């Protein structure tokens, strides 16, 4: 599925998109960066409460192409700058992390 | 930050602690080099706990630090890493050339031990247990909200007056002020420690009796 297909559902706000045709094969949820580095599958969407610039380096390492944060969170300016340098899509959900994950799971693996 | 370059940036410092991330492999070499110019070294480490909280632990003895460092290294969760993406982990010689490359584990990793486990382990040695940059990224309060129960925290690291006030409200009374230098040009003196001498006992006493005077960097 492409990111464009997920965006059609309308619950995600674009913060920075470098490519909405990118393929999303899987997803991962977590806030501990070492744990993400150890386990996240490639070509994933990563859903996290972390907004620190380090998340861009971590996403690049695990080849996650898109990061989503829940409502009431904001990426730091430096994080957005780094996302531009590293070709990582940044999105913000209209919902909390639980509902966001459920909706994305349904997009990827639902009927 | 190899020893040959490091020496040019010491700016009159005569007491320093080496606290690499999750390893103590370089302390012996740096201690030897710094001894030649009468800079006293306190062996230490900056451990990343399971909760991704950065913890500074300072030791009286180099041997204890090395033993502790080995335990931490064995518990790091990222074993194999890609040096092309993360940078090579180089062990250097006195003249700045490299002697070996550490391929595993990845020192930037968290370890599998909780804060409480690291605390208990640190107290098997004569050491000080000091959470680093508690209000910032990977800080104790940022990541956990409150100090854990059952831990006696010797001091906390703060960066400015505002952070001291916030820390006092939580109940912390003893502070240290570090450079957190990752590059030689960041090696600016960070505090004056009023102490009888440059022994570990005096260092500990000065921290516990609030005789650490900040030189603010921020």
């Amino acid at each position: 599925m492409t990111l464009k297909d997920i965006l059609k559902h309308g619950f995600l706000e674009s913060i920075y998109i470098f490519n909405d045709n990118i393929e999303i094969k899987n997803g991962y949820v977590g806030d501990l960066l070492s744990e993400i580095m150890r386990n996240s599958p490639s070509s994933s969407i990563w859903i996290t409460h972390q907004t620190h610039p380090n998340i861009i380096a971590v996403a690049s390492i695990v080849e996650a192409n898109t990061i989503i944060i829940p409502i009431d969170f904001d990426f730091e300016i430096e994080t957005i700058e780094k996302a531009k340098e590293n070709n990582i899509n940044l999105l913000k959900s209209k919902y909390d992390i639980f509902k966001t994950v459920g909706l994305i799971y349904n997009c990827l693996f639902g009927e | 930050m190899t020893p040959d370059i490091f020496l040019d940036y010491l700016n009159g410092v005569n007491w320093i602690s080496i606290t690499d991330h999750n390893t103590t492999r370089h302390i012996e070499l740096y201690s030897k080099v710094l001894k030649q110019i009468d800079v006293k070294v306190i062996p230490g480490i900056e451990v990343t706990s399971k909760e991704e909280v950065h913890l500074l632990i300072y030791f009286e003895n180099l041997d204890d630090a090395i033993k502790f460092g080995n335990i931490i290294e064995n518990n790091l969760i990222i074993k194999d890493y890609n040096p092309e993406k993360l940078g090579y982990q180089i062990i250097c010689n006195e003249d700045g050339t490299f002697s070996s490359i550490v391929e595993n584990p990845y020192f930037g990793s968290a370890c599998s031990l909780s804060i409480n486990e690291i605390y208990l382990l640190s107290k098997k040695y004569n050491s000080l247990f000091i959470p680093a940059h508690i209000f910032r990224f990977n800080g104790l309060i940022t990541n956990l909200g409150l100090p854990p129960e059952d831990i006696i925290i010797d001091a906390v690291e703060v960066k400015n007056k505002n952070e001291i006030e916030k820390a006092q409200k939580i109940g912390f009374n003893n502070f240290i002020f570090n450079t957190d230098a990752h590059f030689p040009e960041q090696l600016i003196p960070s505090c004056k420690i009023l102490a009888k001498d440059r022994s570990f006992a005096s260092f500990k006493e000065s921290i516990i009796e609030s005789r650490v005077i900040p030189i603010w960097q921020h």
Side-chain angles (χ1 to χ4, degrees), chain A residues 31-38 50 52 54-55 60-63, chain B residues 48 50-52 77-78 85-86 106 108-111 137-138 143:
Chain A
D31 297 334
L32 295 177
L33 303 188
S34 288
E35 205 268 330
I36 306 300
M37 284 169 69
R38 192 166 52 142
Q50 289 275 9
H52 188 277
N54 280 18
I55 62 175
S60 301
I61 289 161
V62 299
E63 295 170 15
Chain B
T48 308
K50 187 179 175 179
E51 304 85 354
E52 296 202 354
I77 66 170
I78 301 175
K85 285 185 176 175
L86 297 167
Y106 173 51
S109 166
C111 72
F137 190 55
N138 293 122
N143 282 25

Side-chain angles (χ1 to χ4, degrees), chain B residues 50-107:
Chain B
K50 187 179 175 179
E51 304 85 354
E52 296 202 354
V53 173
H54 288 184
L55 304 163
L56 291 162
I57 298 148
Y58 300 102
F59 297 89
E60 180 174 22
N61 298 314
L62 178 63
D63 285 351
D64 291 347
I66 290 170
K67 275 185 213 152
F68 185 89
N70 287 338
I71 297 170
I72 296 301
E73 278 193 29
N74 288 334
N75 281 283
L76 292 175
I77 66 170
I78 301 175
K79 302 291 181 196
D80 297 311
Y81 82 110
N82 183 343
E84 293 295 328
K85 285 185 176 175
L86 297 167
Y88 286 87
Q89 299 182 151
I90 289 166
I91 303 297
C92 69
N93 290 322
E94 205 168 316
D95 61 3
T97 58
F98 78 90
S99 58
S100 62
I101 294 174
V102 180
E103 292 179 354
N104 144 9
Y106 173 51
F107 296 149

Side-chain angles (χ1 to χ4, degrees), chain A:
Chain A
M1 177 173 279
T2 66
L3 179 59
K4 197 188 274 177
D5 296 327
I6 297 172
L7 290 172
K8 279 180 196 159
H9 293 266
F11 62 93
L12 297 169
E13 177 194 347
S14 302
I15 305 296
Y16 168 69
I17 300 278
F18 92 94
N19 179 8
D20 62 2
N21 278 316
I22 202 150
E23 195 182 4
I24 311 285
K25 290 182 182 165
N26 214 326
Y28 208 76
V29 188
D31 297 334
L32 295 177
L33 303 188
S34 288
E35 205 268 330
I36 306 300
M37 284 169 69
R38 192 166 52 142
N39 289 324
S40 177
S42 61
S43 304
S44 277
I45 244 178
W46 172 23
I47 304 146
T48 181
H49 293 100
Q50 289 275 9
T51 57
H52 188 277
N54 280 18
I55 62 175
I56 303 300
V58 171
S60 301
I61 289 161
V62 299
E63 295 170 15
N65 53 46
T66 303
I67 301 172
I68 302 176
I69 51 171
I71 190 167
D72 292 335
F73 280 72
D74 289 301
F75 291 107
E76 288 162 38
I77 291 163
E78 201 189 330
T79 307
I80 299 170
E81 292 307 312
K82 287 203 170 184
K84 290 176 185 171
E85 288 166 21
N86 290 277
N87 298 336
I88 304 284
N89 299 308
L90 298 181
L91 307 168
K92 180 171 164 168
S93 174
K94 289 182 181 170
Y95 304 114
D96 68 24
I97 201 157
F98 179 74
K99 189 162 179 185
T100 304
V101 170
L103 288 167
I104 288 169
Y105 188 88
N106 278 344
C107 290
L108 288 174
F109 304 115
E111 291 174 39

Side-chain angles (χ1 to χ4, degrees), chain B residues 186-206:
Chain B
Q186 295 169 337
L187 278 169
I188 299 160
S190 60
C191 59
K192 282 184 184 172
I193 299 175
L194 308 177
K196 288 194 292 258
D197 51 44
R198 289 178 291 165
S199 66
F200 185 78
S202 296
F203 176 65
K204 195 169 178 172
E205 198 178 278
S206 299

Side-chain angles (χ1 to χ4, degrees), chain B residues 8-40:
Chain B
D8 293 338
Y9 287 87
L10 287 178
N11 300 311
V13 164
N14 68 354
W15 211 358
I16 198 166
S17 182
I18 310 256
T19 55
D20 284 334
H21 281 280
N22 300 312
T23 183
T24 51
R25 292 192 196 211
H26 265 135
I27 303 171
E28 190 166 16
L29 172 78
Y30 279 79
S31 300
K32 192 177 137 201
V33 171
L34 288 164
K35 197 175 179 182
Q36 292 162 9
I37 54 165
D38 192 35
V39 175
K40 175 83 179 174

Side-chain angles (χ1 to χ4, degrees), chain B residues 146-185:
Chain B
L146 299 165
E149 291 177 7
D150 310 327
I151 286 183
I152 299 162
I153 289 170
D154 295 304
V156 291
E157 190 209 349
V158 289
K159 293 284 182 195
N160 54 44
K161 288 181 183 124
N162 180 31
E163 288 193 1
I164 291 183
E165 285 167 16
K166 277 163 67 182
Q168 282 170 332
K169 281 180 192 159
I170 296 168
F172 296 120
N173 296 308
N174 302 320
F175 305 102
I176 58 160
F177 314 92
N178 293 343
T179 59
D180 202 17
H182 287 67
F183 300 98
E185 59 274 19

